[in-house]
Amino acid sequence: MCWLCGRPIESRLQWHHPVPKAKKGRATVPVHPICHRTIHANFTNAQLARIGDDPARVKENKTVAKFVAWIADKPPDFHAPTR
């Protein structure tokens, strides 16, 4: 299951550091590539370090919440190019 959106993961998988390595984070969580890009497009490493390992706090961001609602009914390996 994807840490951000909660959908199953099939073949497209990336590992996300909820607390970035640059901020001494070690733990990783599985995410879809599209979800991974969304996290890093909306937060700096410092912000992610303050949020920690709590996907609910990440989803408090209005843009991320809108993304999670949009992707909820997409297939597990859904991929969309970024601009």
Side-chain angles (χ1 to χ4, degrees):
M1 288 290 200
C2 178
W3 180 83
L4 181 64
C5 73
R7 295 178 305 129
I9 296 175
E10 286 186 2
S11 62
R12 291 178 185 250
L13 167 71
Q14 290 183 352
W15 292 96
H16 169 66
H17 289 84
V19 175
K21 290 191 302 184
K23 299 293 183 182
K24 309 290 188 221
R26 293 181 182 249
T28 58
V29 293
V31 292
H32 296 103
I34 194 169
C35 295
H36 203 190
R37 284 193 314 272
T38 298
I39 293 167
H40 287 287
N42 288 282
F43 297 98
T44 65
N45 280 351
Q47 290 171 317
L48 289 172
R50 284 191 298 275
I51 291 169
D53 188 16
D54 186 355
R57 289 199 51 212
V58 172
K59 290 184 261 188
E60 288 174 0
N61 175 289
K62 289 180 184 180
T63 304
V64 174
K66 184 176 176 180
F67 166 81
V68 170
W70 172 75
I71 202 154
D73 63 350
K74 305 287 187 276
D77 273 351
F78 177 78
H79 178 73
T82 56
R83 296 179 183 174

